[in-house]
Amino acid sequence: MPKRALLTLIAFLALATAMRWGSFFVSVIDHDESTYIVIADELLRGETYLRDVIDTKPIGIFWIYALLIQLTGGSIFALRLAAALVVGLGGWVACVVNRRATGSDMAGYVAGVVYVLMTSVFTYYGISPNTEIFFNLFTLGALAISVAAPRKHWGWAGILLGLGFLIKPFVAAEALAIGLYLLWYYRQAPVRMVANGLLLTLAFLLPLAGLVAYYRHLGLPDALYFYGVEVALAYPVELSWPLRLKYMGDYLLRYAPLILLGGWAQVRGRSDSKERTWVRYLLLQAVLVSIMILLTGKRFGHYQIQLHPVVALWVGSAVATVWTDALRRRWVAYAVAAVAVAIGLAHAAYYAKKDDAPRRTAAWLTQRLDPGETFVGVNGFQIVYHLTDRPVPTPYVHSSLLFEPTHHRAFRIDQAREAAYILADPTVRYLVARAGDPALDSRVARTLLEAFEPVGQIDAETTAYRRLSPGSRPPARTILPSGR
């Protein structure tokens, strides 16, 4: 790597770390991250995803976290630092993309800084590590070597998109955008259009084919289809279209200063045909990603992290056409550094005030669990399994899958059977639950509580229960839930 590129990379890694370090200490920001960590722990113990541990996400994110746990030792601080470095790497790749697409170094720098900023301010829009900050890296990489590159590498772009798809299928939006650009790019060369289109498509399908082959080897192709397709289709649509549009409006308002800045610069700036083509492509990708997000009928903030790259690239491209010379001044770099330090300190102050109930629960259990024993959590703090280094006594790591009606209907979970399975495991000694948690009204929780007695308060909200009598060894599991 050239020295200049290496220094730029280091600068972006430092920028992301400076903005995010204040969030490295608290054990839970969002429970999705906890699920990734705990399922990764189970995979490292030799369990098989979609048989021994089950969730709604494709396996890619759990493989990533298994690797990160191996590299970092698994501390929450180190895992958050690793996520920050992924964000910084994403900013650097965004810089490369815009520099190649526009020919402007400043367009690249602005895009990278904006991407890191957008991903490092709001709790559910990037601060909490989620799938999007990881697959954005793959989609940005695909852009860097295809649409933005003078010399196109469609095969490698397809592989990157396919790998991103294994993290979350929403990557199909970027894959379609790049595919449509390919058709336009070779519009006057139909033979090259077909050849490169096939190359992109086959390369995109290659990681998916590898995943299918892996699950066929395990004898679990039906499980892969059920959890990957049928469960996703079984979830009800929650939002009407007016509320979905409001959800998108919320995103535009949240990042209004950046979007208005980009719009003003777009109107004021002078762009050549190359830059106009790039902006049109970004508009196409923004529309397709927005449609993908809206089709879910949900309004989770982290879904919209998928829009961060395209907004950052557009703002960088537009701003560079107006203020290239001004942005080269040294005080601008100092201002960016000062903002990064301020954001990092603000996060530190905010999260220092957060009550870390999972760590308190983990400390209580660690003092009482003997080697080989574990617990069942009805309180939703699945990260406690990681903090205590204990296996999960149910395949459904994210407690909502087991206790919330929408989820256990979609997964076709037999609650009586799951409760019996947990109770038949003699290693389950404790149960922890929060007062007033709706999960306590579920059939699983009611059945479990009959076999436990309260033994103390971990805190004002969390009660600990101890097993009344030992059980027997857990029965062998079936591949799919009953009713399949």
Side-chain angles (χ1 to χ4, degrees):
M1 179 182 292
K3 182 179 180 180
R4 182 183 176 187
L6 179 60
L7 291 175
T8 304
L9 171 59
I10 292 171
F12 277 112
L13 297 178
L15 180 68
T17 303
M19 287 189 185
R20 301 171 68 92
W21 70 268
S23 67
F24 291 178
F25 303 93
V26 67
S27 61
V28 175
I29 301 176
D30 177 63
H31 292 291
D32 282 350
E33 178 201 20
S34 302
T35 301
Y36 308 149
I37 293 170
V38 173
I39 289 182
D41 284 338
E42 295 298 299
L43 297 184
L44 292 171
R45 289 189 179 100
E47 303 284 48
T48 298
Y49 186 59
L50 300 185
R51 182 182 65 198
D52 307 310
V53 282
I54 294 166
D55 195 69
T56 59
K57 305 288 193 302
I59 196 172
I61 188 63
F62 307 113
W63 278 340
I64 288 172
Y65 265 91
L67 175 62
L68 293 180
I69 289 170
Q70 293 282 70
L71 293 174
T72 64
S75 77
I76 300 298
F77 181 95
L79 290 171
R80 296 267 172 76
L81 173 60
L85 296 179
V86 168
V87 170
L89 184 58
W92 179 73
V93 179
C95 175
V96 173
V97 169
N98 242 20
R99 190 170 66 238
R100 290 181 176 180
T102 66
S104 166
D105 287 344
M106 192 54 63
Y109 297 143
V110 174
V113 170
V114 169
Y115 177 76
V116 173
L117 177 65
M118 293 181 74
T119 315
S120 303
V121 176
F122 300 110
T123 299
Y124 299 111
Y125 293 78
I127 279 293
S128 175
N130 222 307
T131 51
E132 286 77 9
I133 69 170
F134 293 96
F135 75 65
N136 278 351
L137 190 58
F138 288 91
T139 57
L140 282 166
L143 277 179
I145 60 176
S146 61
V147 176
R151 184 178 179 184
K152 316 295 185 184
H153 298 278
W154 300 110
W156 287 111
I159 289 175
L160 288 175
L161 292 167
L163 290 172
F165 188 88
L166 297 190
I167 300 173
K168 193 169 185 178
F170 283 22
V171 170
E174 285 92 342
L176 178 57
I178 291 176
L180 291 174
Y181 171 83
L182 183 150
L183 297 180
W184 174 85
Y185 185 76
Y186 292 112
R187 61 193 181 279
Q188 295 180 342
V191 174
R192 297 185 68 186
M193 177 194 296
V194 172
N196 287 294
L198 286 174
L199 178 60
L200 177 69
T201 303
L202 292 175
F204 173 76
L205 293 174
L206 190 60
L208 182 60
L211 182 67
V212 172
Y214 170 70
Y215 274 95
R216 286 184 64 86
H217 172 73
L218 295 174
L220 299 173
D222 290 343
L224 180 63
Y225 181 78
F226 176 74
Y227 292 113
V229 179
E230 292 190 19
V231 168
L233 295 176
Y235 275 99
V237 173
E238 298 178 354
L239 295 178
S240 64
W241 274 101
L243 288 177
R244 298 189 209 193
L245 296 177
K246 178 181 179 296
Y247 164 62
M248 296 304 295
D250 291 342
Y251 177 83
L252 296 177
L253 288 174
R254 187 176 294 270
Y255 293 103
L258 293 172
I259 291 169
L260 291 174
L261 176 66
W264 185 83
Q266 187 71 57
V267 172
R268 285 287 306 275
R270 295 180 179 179
S271 56
D272 56 24
S273 61
K274 181 180 180 181
E275 290 168 339
R276 287 193 293 272
T277 298
W278 177 233
V279 170
R280 292 187 188 109
Y281 169 79
L282 293 176
L283 177 62
L284 170 66
Q285 181 170 312
V287 169
L288 293 177
V289 169
S290 298
I291 291 172
M292 178 67 72
I293 294 169
L294 289 172
L295 286 176
T296 66
K298 301 181 185 296
R299 50 182 168 189
F300 297 133
H302 66 84
Y303 283 9
Q304 294 177 320
I305 298 171
Q306 190 173 359
L307 284 167
H308 289 1
V310 70
V311 172
L313 293 169
W314 169 64
V315 172
S317 176
V319 166
T321 63
V322 180
W323 292 302
T324 295
D325 292 335
L327 290 171
R328 288 197 179 102
R329 295 175 182 174
R330 185 171 297 179
W331 69 265
V332 175
Y334 293 152
V336 170
V339 169
V341 170
I343 291 172
L345 291 172
H347 287 318
Y350 174 77
Y351 288 107
K353 298 176 183 177
K354 302 282 284 186
D355 180 45
D356 204 337
R359 287 196 191 278
R360 188 164 52 248
T361 301
W364 192 96
L365 288 167
T366 298
Q367 293 175 1
R368 292 162 177 81
L369 288 170
D370 292 331
E373 292 182 335
T374 190
F375 66 96
V376 58
V378 184
N379 61 352
F381 294 145
Q382 54 265 37
I383 196 62
V384 176
Y385 292 108
H386 178 75
L387 297 175
T388 57
D389 194 23
R390 305 287 169 161
V392 187
T394 170
Y396 304 100
V397 171
H398 199 303
S399 59
S400 66
L401 302 186
L402 196 57
F403 298 113
E404 292 184 9
T406 299
H407 293 300
H408 66 66
R409 282 197 297 266
F411 279 76
R412 302 181 191 173
I413 298 172
D414 184 330
Q415 288 201 307
R417 188 186 67 181
E418 290 304 320
Y421 177 79
I422 293 170
L423 291 174
D425 185 347
T427 68
V428 179
R429 185 180 178 192
Y430 287 97
L431 180 148
V432 291
R434 287 181 294 179
D437 193 326
L440 291 173
D441 293 330
S442 67
R443 183 174 181 180
V444 174
R446 292 196 302 268
T447 303
L448 291 175
L449 286 170
E450 291 175 359
F452 290 79
E453 61 178 347
V455 292
Q457 291 294 124
I458 297 174
D459 55 35
E461 295 184 350
T462 308
T463 303
Y465 301 79
R466 185 171 56 202
R467 187 74 167 262
L468 285 170
S469 60
S472 59
R473 285 291 173 186
R477 295 194 58 78
T478 54
I479 292 174
L480 295 178
S482 60
R484 169 75 173 123

